[in-house]
Amino acid sequence: MANQIAAGPEILAYVREFSLREDEVLRELRQTTAELPGGEAMQVMAEEGQFLAFLIATTGVADVLEIGTFTGYSTLWMARALPSHGKLVTCDITDRWPEIGAEYWRRAGVSERIDVRVGAAVETLEKMLADGYADRFGLVFIDADKANYPQYYELALRLVRPGGLVVVDNTLFFGRVIDPLADDADTTGVREVNARIRDDQRVDVCMLPMADGITLVRRR
């Protein structure tokens, strides 16, 4: 039985050469983001953006919720995969970073599909529930501050419809999840959500050792 291969730089370059379909607009936004302080660490890999778009296209969802916008690179991948009538609601604590992505969304012709909500994400999600968004979304992507991951997960399960997907990013968190000396709030939040998902009989789960760890959760 084959084991997981070690995905070093050469293998990753091979995957990028033979799989990635990142056009000029996406590539420019990724490069712009990489030049920001901490930009490369906070941005999803290009292959992960394509994976999210693939999930949306394959499942045919038309309503997506993103928790954590940053500069909107993953936002752009997902918005492009939506049907023309689709809608993506994306949440961020500030409008500073989404404003960078807005020009690229416009250039890609998808800005009308994107609804940016600014503010503390827990409050934003709770307001959405109060406004009747329960069971609304076909896919929810969680990629925001890790300390609040357990709260985001519980709220996401109420906002995604039965049969829909919750995609949780950074669930291996740079390997810190298995480091006994790592006890910061972010690592603790990731560990807690991983344990909660593992034991949650409301969902089906698949954790992928891709990028920084991606967990797929299907609400039953």
Side-chain angles (χ1 to χ4, degrees):
M1 178 179 290
N3 292 318
Q4 178 85 11
I5 67 169
E10 295 83 5
I11 287 291
L12 291 175
Y14 183 89
V15 170
R16 183 156 293 189
E17 178 183 355
F18 285 92
S19 174
L20 184 61
R21 295 183 174 180
E22 181 191 50
D23 70 0
E24 181 180 354
V25 179
L26 281 162
R27 184 170 56 256
E28 287 183 13
L29 177 53
R30 177 167 58 86
Q31 292 169 345
T32 297
T33 304
E35 294 170 0
L36 299 171
E40 281 193 293
M42 293 178 65
Q43 179 174 249
V44 303
M45 287 178 61
E47 289 77 11
E48 183 177 358
Q50 183 167 300
F51 177 62
L52 292 167
F54 188 89
L55 287 176
I56 290 168
T58 302
T59 56
V61 303
D63 294 278
V64 172
L65 171 63
E66 179 180 46
I67 305 170
T69 315
F70 193 36
T71 62
Y73 179 73
S74 54
T75 315
L76 179 51
W77 270 109
M78 292 190 289
R80 278 189 157 178
L82 289 170
S84 58
H85 65 279
K87 199 72 175 179
L88 188 154
V89 178
T90 185
C91 312
D92 207 271
I93 190 66
T94 175
D95 59 6
R96 177 184 179 186
W97 307 120
E99 284 180 353
I100 293 174
E103 171 61 18
Y104 296 89
W105 303 340
R106 185 195 63 76
R107 286 173 55 191
V110 297
S111 57
E112 295 301 316
R113 302 177 190 175
I114 300 170
D115 176 6
V116 179
R117 308 283 179 98
V118 175
V122 168
E123 296 176 7
T124 299
L125 301 178
E126 289 176 340
K127 185 177 188 306
M128 291 175 69
L129 286 167
D131 290 343
Y133 280 78
D135 303 332
R136 171 73 63 88
F137 297 96
L139 185 145
V140 180
F141 179 48
I142 302 176
D143 183 22
D145 57 298
K146 313 311 172 196
N148 281 314
Y149 262 30
Q151 292 184 78
Y152 297 152
Y153 172 68
E154 291 297 334
L155 290 164
L157 275 188
R158 296 171 62 190
L159 288 159
V160 74
R161 60 175 171 264
L165 289 176
V166 177
V167 182
V168 189
D169 198 20
N170 304 112
T171 49
L172 297 179
F173 202 43
F174 308 105
R176 294 177 65 83
V177 288
I178 60 171
D179 181 355
L181 299 179
D183 60 357
D184 57 280
D186 286 336
T187 304
T188 299
V190 174
R191 287 194 188 115
E192 181 180 336
V193 83
N194 287 344
R196 188 173 299 196
I197 292 170
R198 176 196 62 195
D199 299 332
D200 194 345
Q201 297 305 306
R202 299 170 295 177
V203 302
D204 300 311
V205 58
C206 180
M207 180 184 283
L208 303 176
M210 171 188 176
D212 191 32
I214 304 170
T215 298
L216 306 180
V217 177
R218 177 184 175 273
R219 180 183 168 190
R220 291 178 175 172

